[in-house]
Amino acid sequence: MWLLDQWAERHILDAQRQGEFDNLPGSGQALILDDDSHVPPELRSGYRMLKNAGCLPPELEHRKEAVELAQLLNTVSQGSAEHMEYSRRLTLLELKLRQAGVSTEFLHGDYADRLAQKMSED
């Protein structure tokens, strides 16, 4: 057992002995856990901590920023200084995403529109 796991287990057992878990809401109900079976066991605690802290892998962080920049581009007039700056930053992010092997089709495709149209047809 890893050091962090041992530390957590010790604190949980101490809290149980002191009755700190008695009469909690949801007591006796099954927990809904994330599927982390694809993460090696020795990395699960660290990944869980990063996830709980709101950290994303660099590729997802770049993707999120690219979507935000694409939305900003739609709000400013074409040819303005802001539009050129947003466009430059978006191009740089697209390059980083492609180098990481992430498709950037989500920025240019009209997939959402086509999907909505298809769903309304059915």
Side-chain angles (χ1 to χ4, degrees), residues 1-11 44-46 48-49:
M1 191 180 281
W2 292 90
L3 183 61
L4 184 60
D5 294 329
Q6 291 174 354
W7 177 83
E9 192 66 29
R10 189 183 77 229
H11 282 279
R44 289 181 185 161
S45 295
R48 196 172 307 118
M49 287 172 39

Side-chain angles (χ1 to χ4, degrees), residues 66-111:
V67 169
E68 291 170 358
L69 281 171
Q71 290 171 346
L72 281 172
L73 274 173
N74 293 330
T75 64
V76 295
S77 61
Q78 198 166 2
S80 68
E82 285 180 311
H83 189 276
M84 292 185 342
E85 176 63 21
Y86 294 153
S87 181
R88 183 189 65 77
R89 288 176 49 200
L90 182 58
T91 302
L92 180 62
L93 279 173
E94 279 189 81
L95 180 61
K96 286 181 180 180
L97 287 167
R98 286 186 189 142
Q99 287 176 337
V102 178
S103 171
T104 58
E105 185 62 32
F106 65 94
L107 292 170
H108 304 289
D110 57 344
Y111 179 75

